[in-house]
């Protein structure tokens, strides 16, 4: 059964800045969807739009159906309830998201008090249980954020996201700035919670290797649009879109010293959302662009079993030049 369905989502900031341009996504309970792309491609805006957390004056169009109910047409009272009981978000940078002057147990208990009508004692007890669930002693509920390590603070953020038993978790760069050992622990924890509680998970990251190893499906965003989507391990291992190829090639590969010391990538940056180029937004950086790419944009279309890509080469039925060999292991060789 479909838990979340996003149809033609469009987000425009004041001043005509088109940050998300016609995104379609779907997610089932128990499924993990990864969203990748460079900074400025619209990933975090997409995550915030799913819970209507965008600033005043932002225009949002399309549909965001959570269990069949459109979040964009809900009254604000209903939205506030859905943000905890239906879906919740784990922000990047736990130290900036947690309140520095309140104990972490009180911060976990707060949504339980507000949204579940629990007594103070019951909320504190539940906060301790949630900390145990994410691998921290319940006694750490009395700690302030600065008394915890980065990995411990991230676990507190996950516990807080689980406070009201949501069906959907949105994790925006949940392992940013963590060392590789703690990162692996947090990722395994998230996977375990999704499996045990039959949650839906949307995970946002710059790291294709993390998403390929953690998620079931992967969507690659560029200039506010999804340019490739498919099974998480197949997308980086056999990219159908030149941008997804470039992201994959930017990571060193296990057993390939040449890629470790000279990883490939792309020059330049994603375009300014307020001044997008005509045609395919990627064509100014694309090494295999055709003349038609400068005037004609491409829609997502079938690119193999369970695969979609928005590229003129896919549209013509030919292989994308320089396509990543199928099955190549793209996990990072970071120490």
């Amino acid at each position: 059964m479909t838990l979340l369905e996003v149809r033609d989502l469009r987000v425009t900031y004041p001043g005509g800045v088109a940050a998300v341009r016609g995104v379609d996504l779907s997610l089932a309970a128990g499924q993990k969807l990864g969203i990748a792309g460079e900074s400025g491609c619209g990933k975090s805006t997409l995550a915030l739009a799913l819970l209507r957390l965008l600033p005043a004056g932002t225009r949002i169009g399309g549909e965001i159906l959570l269990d069949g109910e459109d979040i964009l047409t809900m009254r604000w009272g209903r939205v506030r309830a859905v943000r905890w009981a239906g879906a919740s978000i784990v922000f990047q940078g736990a130290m900036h998201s947690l309140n520095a002057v309140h104990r972490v147990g009180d911060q976990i208990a707060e949504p339980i008090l507000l949204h579940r009508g629990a007594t103070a004692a019951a909320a504190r007890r539940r906060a301790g249980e949630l900390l145990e669930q994410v691998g921290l002693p319940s006694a750490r509920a009395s700690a302030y954020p600065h008394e915890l390590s980065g990995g411990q603070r991230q676990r507190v953020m996950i516990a807080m996201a689980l406070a009201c038993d949501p069906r959907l978790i949105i994790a925006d760069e949940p392992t940013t700035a963590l060392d590789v050992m703690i990162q692996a622990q947090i990722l395994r924890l998230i996977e375990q919670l999704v499996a045990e509680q039959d949650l839906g998970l949307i995970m946002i990251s710059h790291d294709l290797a993390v998403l390929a190893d953690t998620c079931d499906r992967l969507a690659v965003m560029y200039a506010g649009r999804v340019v490739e989507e498919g099974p998480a391990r197949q997308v980086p291992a056999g990219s159908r879109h030149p941008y997804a190829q470039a992201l994959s090639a930017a990571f060193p590969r296990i057993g390939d010293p040449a890629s470790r010391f000279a990883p490939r990538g792309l020059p330049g940056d994603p375009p300014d959302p307020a001044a997008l180029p005509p045609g395919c937004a990627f064509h100014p950086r694309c090494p295999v662009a055709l003349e038609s790419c400068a005037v004609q944009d491409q829609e997502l279309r079938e690119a193999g079993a369970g695969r979609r890509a928005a590229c003129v080469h896919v549209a013509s039925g030919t292989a994308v030049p320089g396509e990543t060999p199928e099955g190549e292991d793209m996990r990072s060789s970071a120490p």
Side-chain angles (χ1 to χ4, degrees):
M1 179 180 176
T2 301
L3 171 63
L4 175 73
E5 188 167 359
V6 178
R7 300 174 182 169
D8 192 29
L9 180 63
R10 289 163 279 110
V11 178
T12 305
Y13 289 116
V17 181
V20 175
R21 305 182 298 130
V23 168
D24 296 298
L25 295 171
S26 64
L27 182 72
Q31 189 177 39
K32 304 181 290 289
L33 171 67
I35 299 178
E38 294 170 279
S39 295
C41 285
K43 306 184 304 301
S44 292
T45 294
L46 171 62
L48 295 174
L50 295 180
L51 291 178
R52 285 173 64 179
L53 291 170
L54 294 165
T58 303
R59 300 197 307 274
I60 309 177
E63 293 179 301
I64 302 172
L65 303 178
L66 181 64
D67 282 327
E69 190 176 3
D70 191 353
I71 291 177
L72 297 184
T73 61
M74 291 177 183
R75 294 181 179 272
W76 276 111
R78 176 62 179 152
V79 171
R80 285 192 290 269
V82 165
R83 282 175 179 168
W84 286 98
S88 59
I89 188 166
V90 179
F91 294 104
Q92 58 178 309
M95 193 62 187
H96 304 292
S97 301
L98 294 170
N99 191 319
V101 299
H102 289 284
R103 301 180 191 275
V104 296
D106 294 336
Q107 296 183 61
I108 297 171
E110 183 177 10
I112 302 171
L113 288 167
L114 293 176
H115 293 274
R116 291 302 174 87
T119 64
R124 285 195 299 270
R125 185 165 56 252
R126 177 59 177 155
E129 292 171 355
L130 287 165
L131 287 174
E132 295 277 358
Q133 190 174 356
V134 298
L136 288 176
S138 59
R140 300 304 280 161
S142 62
Y144 289 96
H146 72 273
E147 296 177 311
L148 302 176
S149 69
Q152 290 173 328
R153 287 194 294 267
Q154 202 63 47
R155 289 171 187 265
V156 170
M157 290 293 295
I158 295 171
M160 191 181 301
L162 295 170
C164 294
D165 300 314
R167 303 271 327 276
L168 172 67
I169 298 289
I170 303 165
D172 188 2
E173 298 278 2
T175 58
T176 297
L178 300 180
D179 65 67
V180 292
M181 294 296 290
I182 300 301
Q183 174 180 273
Q185 293 174 17
I186 295 296
L187 293 174
R188 295 292 83 78
L189 169 63
I190 292 173
E191 285 187 287
Q192 179 184 351
L193 292 170
V194 169
E196 291 178 351
Q197 302 187 28
D198 200 31
L199 305 175
L201 172 70
I202 294 178
M203 179 178 290
I204 296 171
S205 178
H206 295 89
D207 194 331
L208 276 175
V210 165
L211 296 179
D213 191 47
T214 305
C215 298
D216 304 309
R217 294 188 63 78
L218 175 61
V220 178
M221 289 189 69
Y222 187 81
R225 297 185 62 192
V226 174
V227 296
E228 183 161 352
E229 181 188 6
R233 289 187 178 273
Q234 292 182 22
V235 170
S239 305
R240 299 291 192 262
H241 193 282
Y243 179 64
Q245 287 181 13
L247 282 182
S248 175
F251 287 88
R253 302 179 187 281
I254 294 173
D256 185 357
S259 73
R260 182 182 177 93
F261 293 108
R264 294 170 293 159
L266 282 175
D269 299 296
D272 183 346
L276 293 170
C280 173
F282 183 60
H283 86 266
R285 302 173 72 193
C286 182
V288 295
L290 305 179
E291 288 186 8
S292 62
C293 298
V295 294
Q296 183 178 357
D297 204 353
Q298 295 293 321
E299 300 294 327
L300 282 170
R301 65 192 70 219
E302 182 113 8
R307 304 279 300 274
R308 295 191 303 164
C311 179
V312 65
H313 296 284
V314 172
S316 66
T318 60
V320 178
E323 186 173 301
T324 311
E326 284 281 2
E328 186 172 326
D329 192 341
M330 68 87 47
R331 287 174 293 178
S332 172
S333 57

